[in-house]
Amino acid sequence: YDSFVPRYILSFAIEDHTGSLWLNCFNELAQQILGGRTAAELSQLRVNDPPAFEAVFNEALFGHYLFKDTATTEIY
């Protein structure tokens, strides 16, 4: 396609004193976690300035966040 709008699907691990979980979040929440940068901005950084691209993710590491999530049980 000639034009498209990049969006996030961000997978990450969270943990506290009780254990850890892997979560997925989508565009709006991922944008908040990554310092308010849009997926289009990060796409440009990845191409034009790889160290700045990595710095965005390093800034989000080991932060304190409060999540409200939903979960489903899957039986295989």
Side-chain angles (χ1 to χ4, degrees):
Y1 297 98
D2 294 333
S3 63
F4 64 96
V5 177
R7 294 180 57 87
Y8 291 114
I9 300 176
L10 183 65
S11 295
F12 56 97
I14 61 170
E15 70 178 56
D16 64 6
H17 67 283
T18 63
S20 63
L21 289 172
W22 277 94
L23 299 176
N24 294 318
C25 68
F26 299 98
N27 199 58
E28 291 77 20
L29 180 58
Q31 188 171 335
Q32 289 177 13
I33 292 171
L34 296 175
R37 293 172 184 89
T38 66
E41 292 170 347
L42 236 56
S43 179
Q44 289 297 317
L45 276 180
R46 186 174 54 96
V47 172
N48 298 327
D49 192 0
F53 175 76
E54 285 188 36
V56 170
F57 290 94
N58 288 335
E59 289 171 11
L61 287 176
F62 304 108
H64 291 225
Y65 303 96
L66 180 61
F67 292 100
K68 181 178 180 182
D69 64 338
T70 57
T72 59
T73 303
E74 295 180 2
I75 300 173
Y76 294 98

PDB file of all heavy atoms in Angstrom, residues 5-12 24-42:
ATOM      1  N   VAL A   5      -0.756   3.636   8.323  1.00  0.00           N
ATOM      2  CA  VAL A   5      -0.474   4.230   9.624  1.00  0.00           C
ATOM      3  C   VAL A   5       0.105   3.125  10.511  1.00  0.00           C
ATOM      4  O   VAL A   5      -0.606   2.174  10.856  1.00  0.00           O
ATOM      5  CB  VAL A   5      -1.757   4.806  10.266  1.00  0.00           C
ATOM      6  CG1 VAL A   5      -1.461   5.352  11.649  1.00  0.00           C
ATOM      7  CG2 VAL A   5      -2.363   5.870   9.372  1.00  0.00           C
ATOM      8  N   PRO A   6       1.389   3.225  10.851  1.00  0.00           N
ATOM      9  CA  PRO A   6       1.979   2.196  11.727  1.00  0.00           C
ATOM     10  C   PRO A   6       1.324   2.232  13.102  1.00  0.00           C
ATOM     11  O   PRO A   6       0.995   3.299  13.617  1.00  0.00           O
ATOM     12  CB  PRO A   6       3.448   2.592  11.836  1.00  0.00           C
ATOM     13  CG  PRO A   6       3.684   3.649  10.828  1.00  0.00           C
ATOM     14  CD  PRO A   6       2.368   4.235  10.455  1.00  0.00           C
ATOM     15  N   ARG A   7       1.132   1.052  13.679  1.00  0.00           N
ATOM     16  CA  ARG A   7       0.552   0.942  15.019  1.00  0.00           C
ATOM     17  C   ARG A   7       1.374  -0.074  15.800  1.00  0.00           C
ATOM     18  O   ARG A   7       2.042  -0.919  15.229  1.00  0.00           O
ATOM     19  CB  ARG A   7      -0.907   0.500  14.935  1.00  0.00           C
ATOM     20  CG  ARG A   7      -1.774   1.560  14.262  1.00  0.00           C
ATOM     21  CD  ARG A   7      -3.224   1.142  14.167  1.00  0.00           C
ATOM     22  NE  ARG A   7      -3.850   0.808  15.416  1.00  0.00           N
ATOM     23  CZ  ARG A   7      -4.435   1.688  16.232  1.00  0.00           C
ATOM     24  NH1 ARG A   7      -4.457   2.970  15.911  1.00  0.00           N
ATOM     25  NH2 ARG A   7      -4.997   1.296  17.357  1.00  0.00           N
ATOM     26  N   TYR A   8       1.291   0.020  17.120  1.00  0.00           N
ATOM     27  CA  TYR A   8       2.043  -0.861  17.989  1.00  0.00           C
ATOM     28  C   TYR A   8       1.274  -2.123  18.342  1.00  0.00           C
ATOM     29  O   TYR A   8       0.067  -2.103  18.535  1.00  0.00           O
ATOM     30  CB  TYR A   8       2.334  -0.183  19.331  1.00  0.00           C
ATOM     31  CG  TYR A   8       3.297   0.961  19.309  1.00  0.00           C
ATOM     32  CD1 TYR A   8       2.863   2.247  19.606  1.00  0.00           C
ATOM     33  CD2 TYR A   8       4.637   0.760  19.036  1.00  0.00           C
ATOM     34  CE1 TYR A   8       3.745   3.310  19.632  1.00  0.00           C
ATOM     35  CE2 TYR A   8       5.526   1.817  19.059  1.00  0.00           C
ATOM     36  CZ  TYR A   8       5.075   3.082  19.356  1.00  0.00           C
ATOM     37  OH  TYR A   8       5.954   4.122  19.389  1.00  0.00           O
ATOM     38  N   ILE A   9       2.003  -3.223  18.475  1.00  0.00           N
ATOM     39  CA  ILE A   9       1.614  -4.399  19.237  1.00  0.00           C
ATOM     40  C   ILE A   9       2.865  -4.713  20.052  1.00  0.00           C
ATOM     41  O   ILE A   9       3.867  -5.168  19.527  1.00  0.00           O
ATOM     42  CB  ILE A   9       1.236  -5.600  18.360  1.00  0.00           C
ATOM     43  CG1 ILE A   9       0.063  -5.255  17.456  1.00  0.00           C
ATOM     44  CG2 ILE A   9       0.921  -6.811  19.238  1.00  0.00           C
ATOM     45  CD1 ILE A   9      -0.304  -6.372  16.483  1.00  0.00           C
ATOM     46  N   LEU A  10       2.818  -4.415  21.339  1.00  0.00           N
ATOM     47  CA  LEU A  10       3.995  -4.499  22.195  1.00  0.00           C
ATOM     48  C   LEU A  10       3.848  -5.660  23.165  1.00  0.00           C
ATOM     49  O   LEU A  10       2.871  -5.738  23.905  1.00  0.00           O
ATOM     50  CB  LEU A  10       4.147  -3.182  22.965  1.00  0.00           C
ATOM     51  CG  LEU A  10       5.354  -3.014  23.864  1.00  0.00           C
ATOM     52  CD1 LEU A  10       6.641  -3.009  23.049  1.00  0.00           C
ATOM     53  CD2 LEU A  10       5.245  -1.719  24.646  1.00  0.00           C
ATOM     54  N   SER A  11       4.801  -6.588  23.144  1.00  0.00           N
ATOM     55  CA  SER A  11       4.844  -7.692  24.100  1.00  0.00           C
ATOM     56  C   SER A  11       5.929  -7.394  25.120  1.00  0.00           C
ATOM     57  O   SER A  11       7.031  -6.986  24.746  1.00  0.00           O
ATOM     58  CB  SER A  11       5.168  -9.008  23.398  1.00  0.00           C
ATOM     59  OG  SER A  11       4.138  -9.362  22.520  1.00  0.00           O
ATOM     60  N   PHE A  12       5.611  -7.594  26.397  1.00  0.00           N
ATOM     61  CA  PHE A  12       6.592  -7.309  27.430  1.00  0.00           C
ATOM     62  C   PHE A  12       6.292  -8.132  28.674  1.00  0.00           C
ATOM     63  O   PHE A  12       5.196  -8.655  28.845  1.00  0.00           O
ATOM     64  CB  PHE A  12       6.608  -5.818  27.765  1.00  0.00           C
ATOM     65  CG  PHE A  12       5.279  -5.261  28.183  1.00  0.00           C
ATOM     66  CD1 PHE A  12       4.960  -5.133  29.514  1.00  0.00           C
ATOM     67  CD2 PHE A  12       4.341  -4.866  27.234  1.00  0.00           C
ATOM     68  CE1 PHE A  12       3.732  -4.624  29.903  1.00  0.00           C
ATOM     69  CE2 PHE A  12       3.116  -4.359  27.615  1.00  0.00           C
ATOM     70  CZ  PHE A  12       2.807  -4.245  28.961  1.00  0.00           C
ATOM     71  N   ASN A  24       0.568  -8.408  26.367  1.00  0.00           N
ATOM     72  CA  ASN A  24       0.551  -7.723  25.083  1.00  0.00           C
ATOM     73  C   ASN A  24      -0.280  -6.466  25.242  1.00  0.00           C
ATOM     74  O   ASN A  24      -1.325  -6.492  25.892  1.00  0.00           O
ATOM     75  CB  ASN A  24      -0.099  -8.582  23.990  1.00  0.00           C
ATOM     76  CG  ASN A  24       0.713  -9.805  23.679  1.00  0.00           C
ATOM     77  OD1 ASN A  24       1.919  -9.747  23.587  1.00  0.00           O
ATOM     78  ND2 ASN A  24       0.043 -10.935  23.526  1.00  0.00           N
ATOM     79  N   CYS A  25       0.170  -5.381  24.668  1.00  0.00           N
ATOM     80  CA  CYS A  25      -0.660  -4.178  24.656  1.00  0.00           C
ATOM     81  C   CYS A  25      -0.642  -3.603  23.245  1.00  0.00           C
ATOM     82  O   CYS A  25       0.245  -3.897  22.449  1.00  0.00           O
ATOM     83  CB  CYS A  25      -0.207  -3.162  25.701  1.00  0.00           C
ATOM     84  SG  CYS A  25       1.380  -2.416  25.393  1.00  0.00           S
ATOM     85  N   PHE A  26      -1.610  -2.793  22.983  1.00  0.00           N
ATOM     86  CA  PHE A  26      -1.776  -2.257  21.651  1.00  0.00           C
ATOM     87  C   PHE A  26      -1.472  -0.774  21.622  1.00  0.00           C
ATOM     88  O   PHE A  26      -0.944  -0.213  22.569  1.00  0.00           O
ATOM     89  CB  PHE A  26      -3.173  -2.596  21.126  1.00  0.00           C
ATOM     90  CG  PHE A  26      -3.372  -4.085  21.048  1.00  0.00           C
ATOM     91  CD1 PHE A  26      -4.032  -4.769  22.060  1.00  0.00           C
ATOM     92  CD2 PHE A  26      -2.846  -4.809  20.000  1.00  0.00           C
ATOM     93  CE1 PHE A  26      -4.186  -6.134  22.009  1.00  0.00           C
ATOM     94  CE2 PHE A  26      -2.990  -6.191  19.938  1.00  0.00           C
ATOM     95  CZ  PHE A  26      -3.665  -6.852  20.948  1.00  0.00           C
ATOM     96  N   ASN A  27      -1.778  -0.132  20.578  1.00  0.00           N
ATOM     97  CA  ASN A  27      -1.265   1.182  20.212  1.00  0.00           C
ATOM     98  C   ASN A  27      -1.307   2.234  21.316  1.00  0.00           C
ATOM     99  O   ASN A  27      -0.281   2.836  21.624  1.00  0.00           O
ATOM    100  CB  ASN A  27      -2.003   1.683  18.977  1.00  0.00           C
ATOM    101  CG  ASN A  27      -1.249   2.772  18.284  1.00  0.00           C
ATOM    102  OD1 ASN A  27      -0.108   2.573  17.881  1.00  0.00           O
ATOM    103  ND2 ASN A  27      -1.851   3.940  18.161  1.00  0.00           N
ATOM    104  N   GLU A  28      -2.455   2.485  21.917  1.00  0.00           N
ATOM    105  CA  GLU A  28      -2.577   3.601  22.852  1.00  0.00           C
ATOM    106  C   GLU A  28      -1.727   3.398  24.103  1.00  0.00           C
ATOM    107  O   GLU A  28      -0.991   4.292  24.514  1.00  0.00           O
ATOM    108  CB  GLU A  28      -4.041   3.831  23.235  1.00  0.00           C
ATOM    109  CG  GLU A  28      -4.902   4.370  22.104  1.00  0.00           C
ATOM    110  CD  GLU A  28      -5.297   3.306  21.074  1.00  0.00           C
ATOM    111  OE1 GLU A  28      -5.245   2.095  21.387  1.00  0.00           O
ATOM    112  OE2 GLU A  28      -5.636   3.684  19.945  1.00  0.00           O
ATOM    113  N   LEU A  29      -1.800   2.215  24.695  1.00  0.00           N
ATOM    114  CA  LEU A  29      -1.019   1.946  25.894  1.00  0.00           C
ATOM    115  C   LEU A  29       0.471   1.849  25.564  1.00  0.00           C
ATOM    116  O   LEU A  29       1.315   2.369  26.304  1.00  0.00           O
ATOM    117  CB  LEU A  29      -1.490   0.667  26.572  1.00  0.00           C
ATOM    118  CG  LEU A  29      -0.746   0.271  27.845  1.00  0.00           C
ATOM    119  CD1 LEU A  29      -0.836   1.381  28.882  1.00  0.00           C
ATOM    120  CD2 LEU A  29      -1.284  -1.036  28.386  1.00  0.00           C
ATOM    121  N   ALA A  30       0.806   1.207  24.471  1.00  0.00           N
ATOM    122  CA  ALA A  30       2.217   1.101  24.074  1.00  0.00           C
ATOM    123  C   ALA A  30       2.820   2.479  23.861  1.00  0.00           C
ATOM    124  O   ALA A  30       3.970   2.737  24.240  1.00  0.00           O
ATOM    125  CB  ALA A  30       2.349   0.268  22.802  1.00  0.00           C
ATOM    126  N   GLN A  31       2.072   3.385  23.288  1.00  0.00           N
ATOM    127  CA  GLN A  31       2.553   4.748  23.069  1.00  0.00           C
ATOM    128  C   GLN A  31       2.835   5.437  24.402  1.00  0.00           C
ATOM    129  O   GLN A  31       3.838   6.129  24.544  1.00  0.00           O
ATOM    130  CB  GLN A  31       1.536   5.538  22.257  1.00  0.00           C
ATOM    131  CG  GLN A  31       2.026   6.893  21.815  1.00  0.00           C
ATOM    132  CD  GLN A  31       1.070   7.543  20.837  1.00  0.00           C
ATOM    133  OE1 GLN A  31       0.315   6.867  20.142  1.00  0.00           O
ATOM    134  NE2 GLN A  31       1.092   8.852  20.779  1.00  0.00           N
ATOM    135  N   GLN A  32       1.997   5.219  25.406  1.00  0.00           N
ATOM    136  CA  GLN A  32       2.232   5.798  26.732  1.00  0.00           C
ATOM    137  C   GLN A  32       3.488   5.212  27.365  1.00  0.00           C
ATOM    138  O   GLN A  32       4.291   5.938  27.950  1.00  0.00           O
ATOM    139  CB  GLN A  32       1.035   5.543  27.643  1.00  0.00           C
ATOM    140  CG  GLN A  32      -0.187   6.331  27.288  1.00  0.00           C
ATOM    141  CD  GLN A  32      -1.361   5.974  28.187  1.00  0.00           C
ATOM    142  OE1 GLN A  32      -1.208   5.326  29.218  1.00  0.00           O
ATOM    143  NE2 GLN A  32      -2.548   6.393  27.784  1.00  0.00           N
ATOM    144  N   ILE A  33       3.664   3.904  27.253  1.00  0.00           N
ATOM    145  CA  ILE A  33       4.833   3.246  27.844  1.00  0.00           C
ATOM    146  C   ILE A  33       6.121   3.724  27.183  1.00  0.00           C
ATOM    147  O   ILE A  33       7.149   3.901  27.841  1.00  0.00           O
ATOM    148  CB  ILE A  33       4.694   1.711  27.728  1.00  0.00           C
ATOM    149  CG1 ILE A  33       3.560   1.232  28.632  1.00  0.00           C
ATOM    150  CG2 ILE A  33       5.998   1.013  28.085  1.00  0.00           C
ATOM    151  CD1 ILE A  33       3.189  -0.213  28.436  1.00  0.00           C
ATOM    152  N   LEU A  34       6.072   3.967  25.896  1.00  0.00           N
ATOM    153  CA  LEU A  34       7.274   4.364  25.151  1.00  0.00           C
ATOM    154  C   LEU A  34       7.438   5.879  25.076  1.00  0.00           C
ATOM    155  O   LEU A  34       7.955   6.414  24.095  1.00  0.00           O
ATOM    156  CB  LEU A  34       7.244   3.743  23.750  1.00  0.00           C
ATOM    157  CG  LEU A  34       7.299   2.215  23.743  1.00  0.00           C
ATOM    158  CD1 LEU A  34       7.130   1.672  22.337  1.00  0.00           C
ATOM    159  CD2 LEU A  34       8.585   1.711  24.370  1.00  0.00           C
ATOM    160  N   GLY A  35       7.008   6.568  26.089  1.00  0.00           N
ATOM    161  CA  GLY A  35       7.277   7.994  26.208  1.00  0.00           C
ATOM    162  C   GLY A  35       6.460   8.893  25.310  1.00  0.00           C
ATOM    163  O   GLY A  35       6.885  10.007  24.996  1.00  0.00           O
ATOM    164  N   GLY A  36       5.296   8.429  24.872  1.00  0.00           N
ATOM    165  CA  GLY A  36       4.432   9.259  24.041  1.00  0.00           C
ATOM    166  C   GLY A  36       4.814   9.291  22.573  1.00  0.00           C
ATOM    167  O   GLY A  36       4.218  10.036  21.796  1.00  0.00           O
ATOM    168  N   ARG A  37       5.766   8.489  22.180  1.00  0.00           N
ATOM    169  CA  ARG A  37       6.192   8.472  20.774  1.00  0.00           C
ATOM    170  C   ARG A  37       5.267   7.574  19.958  1.00  0.00           C
ATOM    171  O   ARG A  37       4.956   6.464  20.369  1.00  0.00           O
ATOM    172  CB  ARG A  37       7.620   7.971  20.671  1.00  0.00           C
ATOM    173  CG  ARG A  37       8.603   8.943  21.285  1.00  0.00           C
ATOM    174  CD  ARG A  37       9.984   8.315  21.338  1.00  0.00           C
ATOM    175  NE  ARG A  37      10.927   9.193  21.998  1.00  0.00           N
ATOM    176  CZ  ARG A  37      11.142   9.195  23.309  1.00  0.00           C
ATOM    177  NH1 ARG A  37      10.468   8.374  24.097  1.00  0.00           N
ATOM    178  NH2 ARG A  37      12.022  10.012  23.843  1.00  0.00           N
ATOM    179  N   THR A  38       4.861   8.061  18.819  1.00  0.00           N
ATOM    180  CA  THR A  38       3.987   7.261  17.947  1.00  0.00           C
ATOM    181  C   THR A  38       4.802   6.188  17.251  1.00  0.00           C
ATOM    182  O   THR A  38       6.032   6.255  17.173  1.00  0.00           O
ATOM    183  CB  THR A  38       3.303   8.141  16.889  1.00  0.00           C
ATOM    184  OG1 THR A  38       4.300   8.658  16.014  1.00  0.00           O
ATOM    185  CG2 THR A  38       2.507   9.276  17.530  1.00  0.00           C
ATOM    186  N   ALA A  39       4.107   5.206  16.711  1.00  0.00           N
ATOM    187  CA  ALA A  39       4.776   4.137  15.971  1.00  0.00           C
ATOM    188  C   ALA A  39       5.461   4.694  14.726  1.00  0.00           C
ATOM    189  O   ALA A  39       6.526   4.219  14.333  1.00  0.00           O
ATOM    190  CB  ALA A  39       3.776   3.051  15.590  1.00  0.00           C
ATOM    191  N   ALA A  40       4.887   5.718  14.114  1.00  0.00           N
ATOM    192  CA  ALA A  40       5.514   6.331  12.933  1.00  0.00           C
ATOM    193  C   ALA A  40       6.828   7.012  13.316  1.00  0.00           C
ATOM    194  O   ALA A  40       7.816   6.912  12.579  1.00  0.00           O
ATOM    195  CB  ALA A  40       4.558   7.336  12.296  1.00  0.00           C
ATOM    196  N   GLU A  41       6.848   7.697  14.468  1.00  0.00           N
ATOM    197  CA  GLU A  41       8.083   8.337  14.924  1.00  0.00           C
ATOM    198  C   GLU A  41       9.166   7.304  15.207  1.00  0.00           C
ATOM    199  O   GLU A  41      10.325   7.488  14.829  1.00  0.00           O
ATOM    200  CB  GLU A  41       7.828   9.156  16.192  1.00  0.00           C
ATOM    201  CG  GLU A  41       6.975  10.371  15.983  1.00  0.00           C
ATOM    202  CD  GLU A  41       6.542  11.016  17.287  1.00  0.00           C
ATOM    203  OE1 GLU A  41       6.681  10.417  18.362  1.00  0.00           O
ATOM    204  OE2 GLU A  41       6.036  12.152  17.204  1.00  0.00           O
ATOM    205  N   LEU A  42       8.787   6.206  15.846  1.00  0.00           N
ATOM    206  CA  LEU A  42       9.765   5.163  16.142  1.00  0.00           C
ATOM    207  C   LEU A  42      10.250   4.483  14.869  1.00  0.00           C
ATOM    208  O   LEU A  42      11.418   4.091  14.775  1.00  0.00           O
ATOM    209  CB  LEU A  42       9.161   4.144  17.093  1.00  0.00           C
ATOM    210  CG  LEU A  42       9.941   3.935  18.372  1.00  0.00           C
ATOM    211  CD1 LEU A  42      10.151   5.227  19.112  1.00  0.00           C
ATOM    212  CD2 LEU A  42       9.329   2.891  19.229  1.00  0.00           C
TER     213      LEU A  42
END
